[in-house]
Amino acid sequence: MSTRSKVLKRIAIALGVLLLTPILVLGLALVALQFPPIRGFARDKLLEVVSSSLQGRLEVDDLRWPSLSHIELSGVRLWDRHKDQVANIGLLSVHIDLAALMAVKVHVTEVTVDQLFLDLGTLDNNHGLLSVFESKEPAPPEPEEKGGSSLEVQIDRACIEGTEVKAKPQPELAVALSRFDGCVMFRMADAMDIRLDSLRGEVRYND
């Protein structure tokens, strides 16, 4: 075998290793997450990252990864700084198109949220879901935009079932949306496109 052939063979092997390594790592991670102790460790690390930016407390019962493109969270609960529960999700299921990530795109093919509860609280005080996402420090000035978004996000279908939303936009006005079901399609690139489908629910005031 000539020297050139040997070099080409080594280059081909190296490229093969580079391509297979991410797949192998994802496969090992998928297998590892089938064991409850490792799932619990991954869940706790995720909570540490997310909770550091929240004005409240977040709990997640379980994190599952049934397949490379399918992630599930169950028993998601959120409390505000006053220890009032402001959000609850029975089950969150997300399907992702992995091929799109290689092109710096987020393509979610399906999202399902079951048993969703949100308490938005009063808009002018520090109670409710909105208060949980208040910045802990003054935000720096936002840089001027030089063009459209560099990240394309597309959600083919996101559906919610058995949803209840509470809000108090004014001290004398309380609004509740119950038995809310529906789906939404979403895409954000240079422009934003949102489409709604099969929305239904009941609205109550001062109930």
Side-chain angles (χ1 to χ4, degrees), residues 19 22 97-105:
L19 291 174
D97 180 5
L98 297 178
L101 295 177
M102 304 298 292
V104 197
K105 298 179 181 179

Side-chain angles (χ1 to χ4, degrees), residues 43 46 60-66 70-76 89-94 112 114:
R43 176 201 61 199
L46 176 63
V60 177
D61 286 344
D62 198 7
L63 164 66
R64 293 185 295 275
W65 199 359
H70 183 196
I71 301 174
E72 288 185 348
L73 292 174
S74 60
V76 181
I89 299 176
L91 177 65
L92 171 64
S93 176
V94 181
T112 302
D114 190 22

Side-chain angles (χ1 to χ4, degrees), residues 3 24 42 51 58 64 68-69 135 174:
T3 303
L24 179 61
S51 298
L58 176 66
R64 293 185 295 275
L68 291 176
S69 60
S135 176

